[in-house]
Amino acid sequence: MTAALRRVVVRAPGKINLSLGVGGVDEHGYHALATVFQAVDLHETITAERADGMSLEISSDVPGEIPLNGSNLVLRAAELLRTECAVTDGAALHVHKQVPIAGGMGGGSADAAATLVALDRLWGLDLGTERLRQLGGRLGADVPFAMLGHTALGRGNGADLTPLPTRGTWTWLLAVPGGHLSTPQVFRTFDESAERSGRIPPHLPTVDERQLAALARGDLPLLAETLHNDLQAAAFALHPGLEPVVTAAKRLGAPAALVSGSGPTIAVLVEDEAQAQEIAAGLLGEGLVDSCLVVRGAEPGARVLVEE
Ligand code: C5P
């Protein structure tokens, strides 16, 4: 245990999936994945202050509702730490959101990751990176990546991570169409479609080695060729507004575009900021998306900004 603090501020990044290979389902209902995550410079910021009880407030740069009940990942992360470490102290928590809500960009996972790191410091628990990552994995498959950040290969349910070397900075246009998609429903639609077509998903999906080479070399045309999401067809089927965005982004000159994670956010790979703005103007002008954000990867994982 280290000396306890009065106030801690931690931020954790949202992510996009540069590839997402989906395999069979395990006994907990989770699919085997081979996915390449990249953290981008949109952050969830958690402020944790000493208090007698537990409380949570939310402020947001992005539209949408976040549940304040027991399904909220900030509260679940706090409760997990209190139970695991027999903590009786409280905390007043504040979340500031930048990551699109329910957009397939891991905003809730970043909330959980930042909360675990902040409360570990505030309560002087000193659990260490590995233990925190393991606890994060119990809250959601993407939580350990929000702690690690940068670019990484995720195997198992997505929580078994290997950092990937990358060269340079990647610029993405995030095209955010209206509406939300439920992650479990997208996975279910994927399973149903595989069943109908008699396609048996691989026991262990693999990642395209060319994508790893493209990232290591900073080779944008090769990366563009290898962006791939097995959930994309399911997301297209559930949300008719998505495929037109991908098609239009490519027509407007993007090297590649795909659904991020389970959607509905579309990640558009671009050469630079100027191309991003041009494509954003086109997509907004055609009324295909509600908003566009230009982001860069790869960002570090959860980190402490203030402790006092
Ligand atoms: O881990 P997380 O809570 O983000 O996952 C949400 C849902 O997405 C799970 O309940 C499951 O239905 C689906 N999922 C899956 N296989 C994974 C990750 C998520 O089926 N590897």
Side-chain angles (χ1 to χ4, degrees), residues 29 31 181-192 238 262:
H31 293 73
L181 280 172
S182 136
T183 302
Q185 200 186 357
V186 174
F187 274 103
R188 243 186 343 263
T189 303
F190 170 85
D191 290 338
E192 285 161 7
L238 288 166
S262 56

Side-chain angles (χ1 to χ4, degrees), residues 45-48 55-59 92-96:
T45 306
I46 302 275
T47 303
S55 63
L56 172 61
E57 278 181 1
I58 297 177
S59 60
L93 298 164
H94 178 270
V95 189
H96 184 75

Side-chain angles (χ1 to χ4, degrees), residues 29-31 33 109 139-142 156-158 183-184 187:
Y30 271 79
H31 293 73
L33 303 181
S109 302
L139 294 165
D142 295 344
N157 69 6
T183 302
F187 274 103

